[in-house]
Amino acid sequence: MKPVAIFGGTFDPVHLGHLRAAWEAAEYLDADVRMMPARVPPHRPPTRASAAQREALLRAALEGQDRLCIDTRELQREGPSYSVDTLRDLRAELGAQRSLVLLVGADAFAGLDRWDRWKQLFELAHIGVLTRPGLRSEHSAALREAVEPRRIQDRERLRDAPQGFVIDVPVTALDISASAIRAQLASGRVPRYLLPEALLRDPALLNVYRD
């Protein structure tokens, strides 16, 4: 069976940088990728759009393809959206043997040792680090100690074990900022070629950022 990979975020709003990274991870790992919007992201300001509005944006963005799908379990769970809780829920659903991959941007991965119960992540899933050419991140001694024995380069090994490895996943560098898109919409500009066309075809989807 193909690995299941999780790509989380606020998606406020979802943009082409998110979608391209998720698509390339799906192809690189030959995985089924689930886009998972967070209800209450820990350590980040509240989202501008509500959970329901961000879900509607993501569903519109994913129309017309079947490689990426949406998983709304964090939107349906009260309280902060901690990855360890989500992975434990998924592991119970998928069983002990299915390969599960948590996709994390390189910048976020550099701070993994500050995540809630971060060492338990390796007991539940592999971690795919979304890397861009030329990007170098500094890691703490604790993170290096935990990660180095788990690093692999062979993608096929992800199918041989349900969890525990760390692998770099190369993705195209698209420097697109959700906050910059929100600012453009608030000022009346049109962020064409930064957002999926489906979001621009239905003005109601983006009204929350214009008001």
Side-chain angles (χ1 to χ4, degrees), residues 5-206:
I6 304 305
F7 188 102
T10 55
F11 305 121
D12 187 32
V14 62
H15 56 63
L16 294 182
H18 298 135
L19 296 170
R20 185 62 202 172
W23 185 267
E24 290 183 340
E27 292 191 322
Y28 186 78
L29 301 175
D30 191 23
D32 295 324
V33 173
R34 301 185 184 185
M35 308 284 287
M36 187 174 292
R39 182 184 183 91
V40 182
H43 315 304
R44 294 195 62 174
T47 59
R48 175 68 184 270
S50 68
Q53 288 167 327
R54 289 182 290 119
E55 179 183 348
L57 287 163
L58 192 49
R59 288 194 184 280
L62 296 178
E63 287 180 358
Q65 57 79 49
D66 57 7
R67 183 128 211 186
L68 310 177
C69 66
I70 186 171
D71 188 316
T72 60
R73 72 185 65 227
E74 289 191 351
L75 295 183
Q76 297 163 5
R77 190 171 66 224
E78 296 294 333
S81 301
Y82 291 117
S83 294
V84 66
D85 296 327
T86 299
L87 292 177
R88 186 172 288 114
D89 187 42
L90 279 162
R91 179 54 69 199
E93 175 187 300
L94 298 173
Q97 300 306 314
R98 185 80 178 267
S99 180
L100 179 60
V101 185
L102 176 65
L103 298 173
V104 181
D107 291 341
F109 182 74
L112 191 75
D113 55 330
R114 297 191 294 273
W115 289 27
D116 187 66
R117 293 161 287 167
W118 66 279
K119 290 186 177 180
Q120 295 181 27
L121 299 174
F122 303 111
E123 301 169 7
L124 297 164
H126 306 298
I127 297 181
V129 184
L130 304 174
T131 61
R132 303 185 300 276
L135 179 67
R136 295 182 63 85
S137 300
E138 293 296 326
H139 299 158
S140 69
L143 184 58
R144 290 197 302 270
E145 181 181 357
V147 166
E148 289 311 314
R150 303 178 182 276
R151 281 199 178 275
I152 62 170
Q153 295 181 335
D154 184 359
R155 290 169 278 177
E156 294 301 319
R157 293 187 64 187
L158 290 185
R159 295 177 180 271
D160 300 333
Q163 71 272 326
F165 292 139
V166 176
I167 187 169
D168 286 344
V169 179
V171 296
T172 302
L174 295 179
D175 190 14
I176 302 175
S177 162
S179 60
I181 290 172
R182 293 195 298 270
Q184 287 192 28
L185 289 165
S187 66
R189 297 169 61 191
V190 179
R192 191 172 297 277
Y193 309 122
L194 298 176
L195 295 174
E197 279 296 312
L199 305 192
L200 298 173
R201 286 196 299 268
D202 183 354
L205 288 171
L206 296 169

